[in-house]
Amino acid sequence: MNYRKYYERKNNKQIPKDWDVHHIDFNHDNNEIKNLIAIPKVLHVFIHKDIGYCDRNEIEKMLKTLKDNKGYKDLK
């Protein structure tokens, strides 16, 4: 099963179309739900291009910052 669909099924919610599912440990073979997080594409690119590995808590802090400063309506 596609990990995006798997994430949606396990979390019982649809991922916005301008979002990606990020593998926290960068291992695309590790599709455990604790290793997946839905994030806006802009953040996904930033993590892969500029930051590298960061844990779930760091990613959630970045999501909160985006929500607070950019007004992303899909962030909850």
Coordinates of all heavy atoms in Angstrom, one line a residue:
M1 N 0.8 -1.2 0.0 CA 0.0 0.0 0.0 C 0.9 1.3 0.0 O 1.9 1.3 0.7 CB -0.9 0.0 1.2 CG -1.7 1.3 1.4 SD -2.7 1.4 2.9 CE -4.0 0.3 2.4
N2 N 0.4 2.2 -0.7 CA 1.1 3.5 -0.8 C 1.1 4.1 0.6 O 0.1 4.1 1.4 CB 0.3 4.4 -1.7 CG 0.7 5.8 -1.8 OD1 0.7 6.5 -0.8 ND2 1.2 6.3 -2.9
Y3 N 2.3 4.6 1.1 CA 2.4 5.2 2.4 C 1.5 6.4 2.7 O 1.1 6.6 3.8 CB 3.9 5.4 2.8 CG 4.6 6.4 2.0 CD1 4.5 7.8 2.3 CD2 5.4 6.0 0.9 CE1 5.2 8.7 1.5 CE2 6.1 7.0 0.1 CZ 6.0 8.3 0.5 OH 6.7 9.2 -0.3
R4 N 1.2 7.2 1.7 CA 0.3 8.3 1.8 C -1.1 7.8 2.2 O -1.7 8.3 3.1 CB 0.3 9.1 0.5 CG -0.6 10.4 0.7 CD -0.5 11.2 -0.6 NE -1.4 12.4 -0.5 CZ -1.0 13.6 -0.3 NH1 0.3 13.8 -0.1 NH2 -1.8 14.6 -0.2
K5 N -1.6 6.8 1.4 CA -2.9 6.2 1.7 C -2.9 5.5 3.1 O -3.8 5.6 3.8 CB -3.3 5.2 0.6 CG -3.6 5.9 -0.7 CD -4.0 5.0 -1.7 CE -4.3 5.7 -3.0 NZ -4.8 4.9 -4.1
Y6 N -1.8 4.9 3.4 CA -1.6 4.2 4.7 C -1.7 5.2 5.8 O -2.4 5.0 6.8 CB -0.3 3.5 4.8 CG 0.0 2.9 6.1 CD1 -0.6 1.7 6.6 CD2 1.0 3.4 6.9 CE1 -0.3 1.2 7.8 CE2 1.4 2.8 8.1 CZ 0.7 1.7 8.6 OH 1.0 1.2 9.8
Y7 N -1.0 6.4 5.7 CA -1.1 7.4 6.7 C -2.5 7.9 6.8 O -3.0 8.1 8.0 CB -0.1 8.6 6.3 CG -0.1 9.7 7.3 CD1 0.8 9.7 8.3 CD2 -1.0 10.7 7.2 CE1 0.8 10.7 9.2 CE2 -1.0 11.8 8.1 CZ -0.1 11.8 9.1 OH -0.1 12.8 10.0
E8 N -3.2 8.2 5.7 CA -4.6 8.7 5.8 C -5.5 7.7 6.5 O -6.3 8.1 7.3 CB -5.1 9.0 4.4 CG -4.5 10.2 3.8 CD -4.9 10.4 2.3 OE1 -5.3 9.5 1.6 OE2 -5.0 11.6 1.9
R9 N -5.3 6.4 6.2 CA -6.2 5.4 6.8 C -5.9 5.3 8.3 O -6.8 5.3 9.1 CB -5.9 4.0 6.1 CG -7.0 3.0 6.6 CD -6.7 1.7 6.0 NE -5.7 1.1 6.8 CZ -4.8 0.1 6.4 NH1 -4.9 -0.4 5.2 NH2 -4.0 -0.4 7.2
K10 N -4.6 5.3 8.7 CA -4.3 5.1 10.1 C -4.7 6.4 10.9 O -5.0 6.3 12.1 CB -2.8 4.9 10.3 CG -2.4 3.5 9.9 CD -3.0 2.5 10.9 CE -2.3 1.2 10.8 NZ -2.8 0.2 11.8
N11 N -4.7 7.5 10.3 CA -5.0 8.8 11.0 C -6.5 9.2 10.8 O -6.9 10.3 11.3 CB -4.0 9.9 10.6 CG -2.7 9.6 11.3 OD1 -2.5 9.7 12.5 ND2 -1.7 9.3 10.4
N12 N -7.2 8.5 9.9 CA -8.6 8.8 9.7 C -8.8 10.2 9.2 O -9.8 10.9 9.6 CB -9.4 8.4 10.9 CG -10.9 8.3 10.5 OD1 -11.2 7.9 9.4 ND2 -11.8 8.6 11.4
K13 N -7.9 10.7 8.3 CA -8.1 12.0 7.8 C -7.4 12.1 6.4 O -6.4 11.4 6.2 CB -7.6 13.1 8.7 CG -6.2 13.1 9.1 CD -5.9 14.2 10.0 CE -4.4 14.2 10.5 NZ -4.1 15.2 11.5
Q14 N -7.9 12.9 5.6 CA -7.3 13.1 4.2 C -6.2 14.2 4.3 O -6.3 15.2 5.0 CB -8.3 13.6 3.2 CG -7.8 13.6 1.8 CD -9.0 13.8 0.8 OE1 -10.1 14.1 1.2 NE2 -8.6 13.8 -0.4
I15 N -5.1 13.9 3.6 CA -4.0 14.9 3.6 C -4.3 15.9 2.5 O -4.6 15.5 1.4 CB -2.7 14.1 3.3 CG1 -2.4 13.0 4.3 CG2 -1.5 15.1 3.2 CD1 -1.3 12.0 3.9
P16 N -4.1 17.2 2.8 CA -4.3 18.2 1.8 C -3.4 17.9 0.6 O -2.3 17.4 0.7 CB -4.0 19.5 2.5 CG -4.1 19.2 3.9 CD -3.8 17.8 4.1
K17 N -3.9 18.3 -0.6 CA -3.2 17.9 -1.8 C -1.8 18.7 -2.0 O -1.0 18.2 -2.7 CB -4.0 18.2 -3.1 CG -4.3 19.6 -3.4 CD -5.1 19.7 -4.7 CE -5.5 21.1 -5.0 NZ -6.2 21.2 -6.2
D18 N -1.6 19.8 -1.3 CA -0.4 20.5 -1.3 C 0.6 20.1 -0.2 O 1.5 20.8 0.2 CB -0.6 22.0 -1.4 CG -1.3 22.5 -0.2 OD1 -2.0 21.7 0.5 OD2 -1.2 23.7 0.1
W19 N 0.3 18.9 0.4 CA 1.1 18.4 1.5 C 1.7 17.1 1.1 O 1.3 16.4 0.1 CB 0.2 18.1 2.7 CG -0.1 19.4 3.5 CD1 -0.5 20.6 3.0 CD2 -0.2 19.5 4.9 NE1 -0.8 21.5 4.0 CE2 -0.6 20.8 5.2 CE3 0.1 18.7 6.0 CZ2 -0.8 21.3 6.5 CZ3 -0.1 19.1 7.3 CH2 -0.5 20.4 7.5
D20 N 2.8 16.7 1.8 CA 3.5 15.4 1.5 C 3.5 14.6 2.8 O 3.2 15.2 3.9 CB 4.9 15.6 1.1 CG 5.1 16.2 -0.2 OD1 4.3 15.9 -1.1 OD2 6.1 16.9 -0.4
V21 N 3.8 13.4 2.7 CA 4.0 12.5 3.9 C 5.5 12.4 4.0 O 6.2 11.8 3.1 CB 3.3 11.2 3.9 CG1 3.7 10.3 5.0 CG2 1.8 11.4 3.9
H22 N 6.1 12.8 5.1 CA 7.6 12.8 5.3 C 7.9 11.6 6.1 O 7.3 11.2 7.1 CB 8.0 14.1 6.0 CG 9.4 14.1 6.4 ND1 10.5 14.0 5.5 CD2 10.0 14.2 7.6 CE1 11.6 14.1 6.2 NE2 11.4 14.2 7.5
H23 N 9.0 10.9 5.7 CA 9.6 9.8 6.5 C 10.6 10.4 7.4 O 11.6 10.9 6.9 CB 10.3 8.8 5.6 CG 9.3 7.9 4.8 ND1 8.8 8.3 3.6 CD2 8.9 6.7 5.0 CE1 8.0 7.4 3.2 NE2 8.0 6.3 4.0
I24 N 10.3 10.4 8.7 CA 11.1 11.2 9.6 C 12.6 10.7 9.6 O 13.5 11.5 9.7 CB 10.5 11.1 11.1 CG1 9.2 11.8 11.1 CG2 11.5 11.7 12.1 CD1 8.4 11.6 12.3
D25 N 12.8 9.4 9.5 CA 14.2 8.9 9.5 C 14.8 8.8 8.1 O 15.9 8.3 7.9 CB 14.2 7.5 10.2 CG 13.5 6.4 9.4 OD1 13.0 6.7 8.3 OD2 13.5 5.2 9.9
F26 N 14.1 9.4 7.1 CA 14.5 9.4 5.7 C 14.6 8.0 5.1 O 15.1 7.9 3.9 CB 15.9 10.1 5.6 CG 15.9 11.6 5.7 CD1 15.7 12.2 6.9 CD2 16.0 12.4 4.6 CE1 15.7 13.6 7.1 CE2 16.0 13.8 4.7 CZ 15.8 14.4 5.9
N27 N 14.1 7.0 5.7 CA 14.1 5.6 5.2 C 12.7 5.3 4.6 O 11.8 5.1 5.3 CB 14.5 4.6 6.3 CG 14.4 3.2 5.8 OD1 14.1 2.9 4.7 ND2 14.8 2.3 6.7
H28 N 12.6 5.3 3.3 CA 11.4 5.1 2.6 C 10.9 3.7 2.8 O 9.7 3.4 2.4 CB 11.4 5.5 1.2 CG 11.3 7.0 1.0 ND1 10.2 7.6 0.4 CD2 12.1 8.0 1.4 CE1 10.4 8.9 0.4 NE2 11.5 9.2 1.0
D29 N 11.7 2.8 3.3 CA 11.2 1.4 3.6 C 10.6 1.3 5.0 O 10.0 0.3 5.3 CB 12.4 0.4 3.5 CG 12.9 0.3 2.0 OD1 12.1 0.4 1.1 OD2 14.1 0.1 1.9
N30 N 10.8 2.3 5.8 CA 10.2 2.3 7.1 C 8.9 3.1 7.1 O 8.9 4.3 7.3 CB 11.2 3.0 8.1 CG 10.7 3.0 9.6 OD1 9.6 2.5 9.8 ND2 11.5 3.5 10.4
N31 N 7.8 2.3 6.9 CA 6.5 3.0 6.8 C 5.7 2.8 8.1 O 4.5 2.8 8.1 CB 5.7 2.4 5.6 CG 6.4 2.9 4.3 OD1 6.7 4.0 4.2 ND2 6.5 2.0 3.4
E32 N 6.4 2.6 9.2 CA 5.7 2.6 10.5 C 5.0 4.0 10.7 O 5.6 5.0 10.4 CB 6.6 2.3 11.6 CG 7.2 0.9 11.6 CD 8.1 0.6 12.8 OE1 7.8 1.1 13.9 OE2 9.1 0.0 12.6
I33 N 3.8 3.9 11.3 CA 3.1 5.2 11.4 C 3.8 6.2 12.3 O 3.8 7.4 12.0 CB 1.6 4.9 12.0 CG1 0.8 6.1 11.7 CG2 1.7 4.6 13.4 CD1 0.5 6.4 10.2
K34 N 4.6 5.8 13.2 CA 5.4 6.7 14.1 C 6.5 7.4 13.3 O 7.1 8.3 13.7 CB 5.9 6.0 15.3 CG 7.0 4.9 15.0 CD 7.4 4.3 16.3 CE 8.5 3.2 16.0 NZ 8.9 2.5 17.2
N35 N 6.9 6.8 12.1 CA 7.9 7.4 11.3 C 7.4 8.3 10.2 O 8.1 8.9 9.4 CB 8.7 6.3 10.6 CG 10.0 6.8 9.9 OD1 10.7 7.6 10.4 ND2 10.1 6.4 8.7
L36 N 6.1 8.5 10.1 CA 5.4 9.3 9.1 C 4.8 10.5 9.7 O 4.2 10.4 10.7 CB 4.4 8.4 8.3 CG 4.9 7.1 7.7 CD1 3.7 6.4 7.1 CD2 5.9 7.4 6.6
I37 N 4.9 11.6 8.9 CA 4.2 12.8 9.4 C 3.8 13.6 8.1 O 4.6 13.7 7.2 CB 5.1 13.7 10.3 CG1 4.3 14.9 10.9 CG2 6.4 14.1 9.6 CD1 5.0 15.6 12.0
A38 N 2.6 14.1 8.1 CA 2.1 15.0 7.0 C 2.5 16.4 7.2 O 2.3 17.0 8.3 CB 0.6 14.9 6.9
I39 N 3.2 17.0 6.2 CA 3.7 18.3 6.3 C 3.5 19.0 4.9 O 3.4 18.4 3.9 CB 5.2 18.4 6.7 CG1 6.0 17.6 5.7 CG2 5.3 17.9 8.1 CD1 7.5 17.6 6.0
P40 N 3.4 20.4 5.0 CA 3.3 21.1 3.7 C 4.5 20.8 2.8 O 5.6 20.7 3.3 CB 3.2 22.6 4.1 CG 2.8 22.5 5.6 CD 3.3 21.3 6.1
K41 N 4.3 20.8 1.5 CA 5.4 20.6 0.6 C 6.6 21.5 0.8 O 7.7 21.1 0.7 CB 4.9 20.6 -0.9 CG 4.1 19.5 -1.2 CD 3.7 19.5 -2.7 CE 2.8 18.3 -3.0 NZ 2.8 17.8 -4.3
V42 N 6.3 22.8 1.1 CA 7.3 23.8 1.3 C 8.2 23.3 2.5 O 9.5 23.5 2.4 CB 6.8 25.2 1.4 CG1 5.9 25.3 2.7 CG2 7.9 26.2 1.4
L43 N 7.6 22.8 3.5 CA 8.4 22.4 4.7 C 9.2 21.1 4.3 O 10.3 20.9 4.7 CB 7.5 22.2 5.9 CG 8.2 21.7 7.2 CD1 9.4 22.6 7.6 CD2 7.2 21.6 8.3
H44 N 8.6 20.2 3.6 CA 9.2 19.0 3.2 C 10.5 19.3 2.4 O 11.5 18.7 2.6 CB 8.2 18.1 2.4 CG 8.6 16.7 2.3 ND1 8.1 15.9 1.3 CD2 9.3 15.9 3.1 CE1 8.6 14.7 1.4 NE2 9.3 14.7 2.5
V45 N 10.4 20.2 1.4 CA 11.5 20.5 0.6 C 12.6 21.2 1.5 O 13.8 20.8 1.4 CB 11.1 21.5 -0.5 CG1 12.4 22.1 -1.2 CG2 10.3 20.8 -1.5
F46 N 12.2 22.0 2.4 CA 13.2 22.7 3.3 C 13.9 21.7 4.2 O 15.1 21.8 4.3 CB 12.4 23.7 4.2 CG 13.3 24.5 5.1 CD1 14.2 25.4 4.7 CD2 13.1 24.3 6.5 CE1 15.0 26.1 5.6 CE2 13.9 25.0 7.4 CZ 14.8 25.9 6.9
I47 N 13.2 20.7 4.7 CA 13.8 19.7 5.5 C 14.9 18.9 4.7 O 16.0 18.7 5.1 CB 12.8 18.7 6.2 CG1 12.0 19.4 7.2 CG2 13.5 17.5 6.7 CD1 10.8 18.7 7.7
H48 N 14.5 18.5 3.5 CA 15.4 17.6 2.7 C 16.6 18.4 2.1 O 17.7 17.9 2.0 CB 14.6 16.9 1.6 CG 13.9 15.7 2.0 ND1 14.5 14.5 2.0 CD2 12.7 15.5 2.5 CE1 13.7 13.6 2.5 NE2 12.5 14.2 2.8
K49 N 16.3 19.7 1.8 CA 17.4 20.5 1.1 C 18.3 21.2 2.1 O 19.5 21.2 1.9 CB 16.7 21.5 0.2 CG 17.7 22.3 -0.5 CD 17.0 23.3 -1.5 CE 18.1 24.2 -2.1 NZ 17.5 25.4 -2.6
D50 N 17.7 21.7 3.2 CA 18.5 22.6 4.1 C 18.7 22.1 5.5 O 19.7 22.5 6.1 CB 17.8 23.9 4.2 CG 17.7 24.7 2.9 OD1 18.7 24.6 2.1 OD2 16.6 25.3 2.6
I51 N 17.9 21.2 6.0 CA 18.0 20.9 7.4 C 18.6 19.5 7.6 O 19.5 19.3 8.4 CB 16.6 20.9 8.1 CG1 16.1 22.4 8.2 CG2 16.7 20.4 9.6 CD1 14.8 22.5 8.8
G52 N 18.0 18.5 6.9 CA 18.4 17.1 7.1 C 17.5 16.5 8.2 O 16.4 17.0 8.5
Y53 N 18.0 15.5 8.9 CA 17.2 14.9 9.9 C 16.8 15.8 11.1 O 17.6 16.6 11.6 CB 18.0 13.7 10.5 CG 17.2 13.0 11.7 CD1 16.2 12.2 11.4 CD2 17.5 13.4 13.0 CE1 15.4 11.6 12.4 CE2 16.7 12.9 14.0 CZ 15.7 12.0 13.7 OH 14.9 11.5 14.8
C54 N 15.6 15.7 11.4 CA 15.1 16.3 12.6 C 13.9 15.4 13.2 O 13.2 14.8 12.4 CB 14.6 17.8 12.4 SG 13.5 18.1 11.1
D55 N 13.8 15.4 14.5 CA 12.8 14.5 15.0 C 11.4 15.0 14.9 O 11.2 16.2 14.5 CB 13.2 14.1 16.5 CG 13.1 15.2 17.5 OD1 12.4 16.2 17.2 OD2 13.8 15.1 18.5
R56 N 10.4 14.2 15.3 CA 9.0 14.6 15.2 C 8.7 15.9 16.0 O 8.0 16.8 15.5 CB 8.1 13.5 15.7 CG 6.6 13.8 15.7 CD 5.7 12.7 16.1 NE 5.8 11.6 15.2 CZ 5.1 11.5 14.1 NH1 4.3 12.4 13.7 NH2 5.2 10.4 13.3
N57 N 9.3 16.0 17.2 CA 9.0 17.3 18.0 C 9.5 18.5 17.2 O 8.8 19.5 17.2 CB 9.7 17.2 19.3 CG 9.0 16.2 20.2 OD1 7.8 15.9 20.1 ND2 9.8 15.6 21.1
E58 N 10.7 18.4 16.6 CA 11.2 19.6 15.8 C 10.3 19.9 14.7 O 10.1 21.1 14.4 CB 12.6 19.3 15.4 CG 13.6 19.2 16.5 CD 15.0 18.7 16.0 OE1 15.1 17.6 15.5 OE2 16.0 19.4 16.2
I59 N 9.8 18.9 14.0 CA 9.0 19.1 12.8 C 7.6 19.7 13.3 O 7.1 20.6 12.6 CB 8.7 17.8 12.1 CG1 10.0 17.3 11.4 CG2 7.6 17.9 11.0 CD1 10.0 15.8 10.9
E60 N 7.1 19.2 14.4 CA 5.9 19.8 14.9 C 6.0 21.2 15.3 O 5.1 22.0 15.1 CB 5.3 18.9 16.0 CG 4.8 17.6 15.5 CD 4.4 16.6 16.6 OE1 4.7 16.9 17.8 OE2 3.8 15.6 16.3
K61 N 7.2 21.6 15.8 CA 7.5 23.0 16.2 C 7.5 23.8 14.9 O 7.0 25.0 14.9 CB 8.8 23.1 16.9 CG 8.7 22.7 18.3 CD 10.1 22.8 19.0 CE 10.1 22.1 20.4 NZ 11.4 22.1 21.0
M62 N 8.1 23.3 13.8 CA 8.1 24.0 12.6 C 6.7 24.2 12.0 O 6.4 25.3 11.5 CB 9.0 23.3 11.5 CG 10.5 23.4 11.8 SD 11.5 22.7 10.5 CE 11.8 21.1 11.2
L63 N 5.9 23.2 12.1 CA 4.5 23.3 11.7 C 3.8 24.4 12.5 O 3.0 25.1 11.9 CB 3.8 21.9 11.9 CG 4.0 20.8 10.9 CD1 3.5 19.5 11.3 CD2 3.5 21.2 9.5
K64 N 4.0 24.4 13.8 CA 3.4 25.4 14.6 C 3.8 26.8 14.2 O 3.0 27.8 14.1 CB 3.6 25.2 16.1 CG 2.9 26.2 17.0 CD 3.2 25.9 18.4 CE 2.5 26.9 19.4 NZ 2.2 28.2 18.9
T65 N 5.1 27.0 13.9 CA 5.6 28.3 13.4 C 5.0 28.7 12.1 O 4.6 29.8 12.0 CB 7.2 28.2 13.3 OG1 7.7 27.9 14.6 CG2 7.7 29.5 12.8
L66 N 4.9 27.7 11.2 CA 4.2 28.0 9.9 C 2.8 28.5 10.2 O 2.3 29.5 9.6 CB 4.2 26.8 9.0 CG 5.5 26.5 8.2 CD1 5.3 25.2 7.5 CD2 5.7 27.7 7.3
K67 N 2.1 27.8 11.0 CA 0.7 28.1 11.3 C 0.6 29.5 11.9 O -0.2 30.3 11.5 CB 0.1 27.1 12.3 CG -1.3 27.4 12.7 CD -1.9 26.4 13.7 CE -3.3 26.8 14.1 NZ -3.7 26.0 15.2
D68 N 1.5 29.8 12.9 CA 1.4 31.1 13.6 C 1.8 32.2 12.7 O 1.3 33.3 12.8 CB 2.3 31.0 14.8 CG 1.8 30.1 15.9 OD1 0.7 29.7 15.8 OD2 2.6 29.8 16.8
N69 N 2.8 32.0 11.8 CA 3.3 33.1 11.0 C 2.8 33.2 9.6 O 2.9 34.3 9.0 CB 4.8 33.0 11.0 CG 5.4 33.2 12.3 OD1 5.0 34.2 13.0 ND2 6.3 32.4 12.8
K70 N 2.3 32.1 9.0 CA 1.9 32.1 7.6 C 0.4 31.9 7.5 O -0.1 32.1 6.4 CB 2.6 31.0 6.8 CG 4.1 31.2 6.8 CD 4.5 32.3 5.9 CE 6.0 32.4 5.7 NZ 6.4 33.5 5.0
G71 N -0.3 31.5 8.5 CA -1.7 31.4 8.4 C -2.2 30.2 7.6 O -3.2 30.3 7.0
Y72 N -1.4 29.1 7.6 CA -1.9 27.9 6.9 C -3.2 27.5 7.4 O -3.2 27.0 8.6 CB -0.8 26.8 7.0 CG 0.3 26.9 6.0 CD1 1.5 27.6 6.3 CD2 0.2 26.4 4.7 CE1 2.5 27.7 5.4 CE2 1.2 26.5 3.8 CZ 2.3 27.2 4.1 OH 3.4 27.3 3.2
K73 N -4.2 27.5 6.6 CA -5.6 27.2 7.1 C -5.7 25.7 7.4 O -6.6 25.2 8.2 CB -6.6 27.6 6.2 CG -6.5 27.0 4.8 CD -7.6 27.5 3.8 CE -7.4 26.7 2.5 NZ -7.9 27.3 1.4
D74 N -4.9 24.8 6.7 CA -5.0 23.4 6.9 C -4.3 22.8 8.1 O -4.4 21.7 8.4 CB -4.5 22.7 5.6 CG -5.4 23.0 4.4 OD1 -6.7 23.1 4.6 OD2 -4.9 23.1 3.3
L75 N -3.5 23.7 8.8 CA -2.7 23.2 9.9 C -3.6 23.1 11.1 O -4.4 24.1 11.4 CB -1.6 24.1 10.2 CG -0.5 24.1 9.2 CD1 0.6 25.2 9.5 CD2 0.2 22.8 9.1
K76 N -3.6 22.1 11.9 CA -4.4 21.9 13.1 C -3.6 21.6 14.2 O -2.5 21.1 14.2 CB -5.4 20.8 12.9 CG -6.4 21.2 11.8 CD -7.4 20.2 11.6 CE -8.4 20.7 10.5 NZ -9.0 20.2 9.6

